[in-house]
Amino acid sequence: MQHHEAPRPLVIGHRGAPGYRPEHTRSAYELAFALGADAVEPDIVATRDGVLVLRHENEISGTTDVADRPEFAGRRTTREIDGSPLTGWFTEDFTWAELATLRARERLGALRHASASFDDRFPIIRLRDLFEIIDVAADEQRRLLRMVAEFKHAAHFDAIGLPLDELFQAELDAAGWGRGDERLIMEAFEPTLLDRLGARGIRGKRVFLIEGSGAPWDLVLEQGSGAPKYDSFVTEAGLLRLAGRFDGVSVGKARLVGGAKAKRADAAGAPLSGAELVDAAHAADLEIYTWTLRPENSFLASRFRRGTARAAFGDWAGEFGEIIGMGVDGVFLDHPDLGVEARRAVAAA
């Protein structure tokens, strides 16, 4: 495939377009591309029989109707996920055939009545279905469309015999995407999994997700309390250590526009924030992405909120424009059309 210059920043439909349709459904992904997204971001988890499905987490009570299904009442359990007990229903306790009978619900439905009005109308889909959705949309729109695949709880799935890197490689081959190409970006909060994807020869960018606090769970399992904290990766030295190993980093937007919790960047070894973080990533030859840009007051930095209604849209154009103006390489949004509009406005200015 010939090289295509990507628009900048990449507008990535976060789990499709969940501002409008329940997340991770065929409808949400198709709508994301119709609204102008350059890429979509699936969250990848596994079933008991090794099928990769698209759900925010392996615990699915908040994103499906599983709790209302009497035939699955006995599957409710408590499990330790990344060091914390969690009670609910887990994808690894179901076959794909069983999960296929469930219906999707919008996770943020209390704030998003429009999206939640589609609850229980759409089934869960598999990763292999999304490859097909992207191929069809790319043909229809005559443009290069990408997938930003996020791997969830890789160490957990590894421990129960469902290695996500191995299952993903098989899905890539089956989908005719070979071992990846410029359409593929892979991301995870666990660097070990990204290393393994690279070792498998899967082509495509690998991006390290950096949480706002804590430490990568795979490193905690390996090193205990001595594991490096996420904050240590967003210093100048930390970014330089990632250079050459990964293609980019992806940070929560609070590191860029949060303000309140950002430490002073001039303190020795303190985590960088805002435009300084973006510039330092680029200086280390890393791309930098950010998540999740959402227009509701509930999610905006305080200075961009308008009025007191949590579900009302605040000055999203102001916040999105400030972030895009820092020179980030990709933005994850629940309303992809607003990302396209904000990018256009910044370019025009």
Side-chain angles (χ1 to χ4, degrees):
M1 184 180 284
Q2 71 198 73
H3 180 73
H4 295 77
E5 197 57 48
R8 196 152 165 262
L10 218 54
V11 168
I12 303 159
H14 180 245
R15 311 174 195 163
Y20 304 109
R21 298 287 188 278
E23 63 179 37
H24 291 311
T25 58
R26 175 179 286 272
S27 181
Y29 288 118
E30 289 175 344
L31 183 58
F33 289 129
L35 293 174
D38 306 304
V40 291
E41 181 244 18
D43 291 323
I44 297 172
V45 293
T47 66
R48 191 172 75 204
D49 49 347
V51 176
L52 296 182
V53 294
L54 309 184
R55 285 291 90 191
H56 172 54
E57 296 285 350
N58 56 331
E59 200 289 298
I60 55 172
S61 62
T63 61
T64 72
D65 62 349
V66 68
D68 298 338
R69 304 292 281 269
E71 67 270 33
F72 297 132
R75 306 280 175 95
R76 187 172 187 265
T77 188
T78 299
R79 188 157 291 161
E80 188 178 291
I81 304 295
D82 296 359
S84 302
L86 189 60
T87 299
W89 287 260
F90 297 87
T91 57
E92 61 264 30
D93 296 331
F94 293 79
T95 64
W96 162 244
E98 290 170 331
L99 285 182
T101 69
L102 298 178
R103 291 296 176 266
R105 291 181 177 172
E106 172 49 34
R107 198 174 57 90
L108 300 175
L111 277 178
R112 294 181 170 164
H113 300 292
S115 185
S117 72
F118 291 89
D119 281 0
D120 300 339
R121 290 180 56 172
F122 306 121
I124 289 177
I125 63 171
R126 301 164 295 180
L127 177 64
R128 67 188 63 171
D129 302 315
L130 183 57
F131 284 120
E132 178 248 331
I133 290 167
I134 293 172
D135 288 340
V136 168
D139 284 346
E140 287 175 350
Q141 298 192 22
R142 298 178 181 274
R143 63 189 180 109
L144 181 74
L145 299 177
R146 291 171 163 86
M147 175 191 291
V148 183
E150 180 179 346
F151 298 83
K152 284 286 176 83
H153 308 298
H156 167 74
F157 281 111
D158 220 32
I160 57 175
L162 293 166
L164 296 183
D165 56 309
E166 189 178 312
L167 297 170
F168 184 70
Q169 181 179 306
E171 294 277 8
L172 274 178
D173 292 344
W177 278 46
R179 292 290 163 89
D181 53 36
E182 64 181 323
R183 293 178 290 178
L184 181 62
I185 300 168
M186 297 165 283
E187 57 175 17
F189 288 103
E190 298 176 55
T192 310
L193 185 273
L194 294 173
D195 287 335
R196 282 166 50 173
L197 290 165
R200 286 185 171 277
I202 297 174
R203 297 190 308 281
K205 290 176 181 170
R206 287 174 295 135
V207 174
F208 180 32
L209 284 162
I210 296 175
E211 193 59 273
S213 61
W217 181 244
D218 55 331
L219 302 185
V220 172
L221 287 174
E222 191 183 282
Q223 302 173 37
S225 59
K229 300 280 189 276
Y230 281 113
D231 273 359
S232 72
F233 294 104
V234 287
T235 62
E236 285 189 10
L239 291 164
L240 287 167
R241 280 196 298 274
L242 294 174
R245 181 180 178 186
F246 302 135
D247 299 286
V249 293
S250 185
V251 300
K253 75 175 178 70
R255 290 195 185 270
L256 302 183
V257 295
K261 286 197 288 194
K263 301 185 183 77
R264 280 176 52 211
D266 58 0
L272 299 166
S273 60
E276 283 184 283
L277 173 54
V278 176
D279 293 345
H282 288 155
D285 204 24
L286 294 166
E287 293 190 340
I288 182 165
Y289 300 73
T290 190
W291 40 273
T292 304
L293 276 57
R294 293 175 168 133
E296 295 95 347
N297 278 322
S298 187
F299 302 111
L300 292 169
S302 56
R303 67 183 187 276
F304 295 106
R305 293 174 196 152
R306 298 292 178 264
T308 55
R310 294 175 66 239
F313 284 17
D315 179 18
W316 60 267
E319 183 180 278
F320 296 9
E322 185 172 307
I323 290 170
I324 289 170
M326 291 177 190
V328 295
D329 298 285
V331 288
F332 293 84
L333 308 104
D334 289 359
H335 303 72
D337 52 326
L338 303 187
V340 173
E341 174 58 28
R343 181 175 65 189
R344 188 200 59 73
V346 171

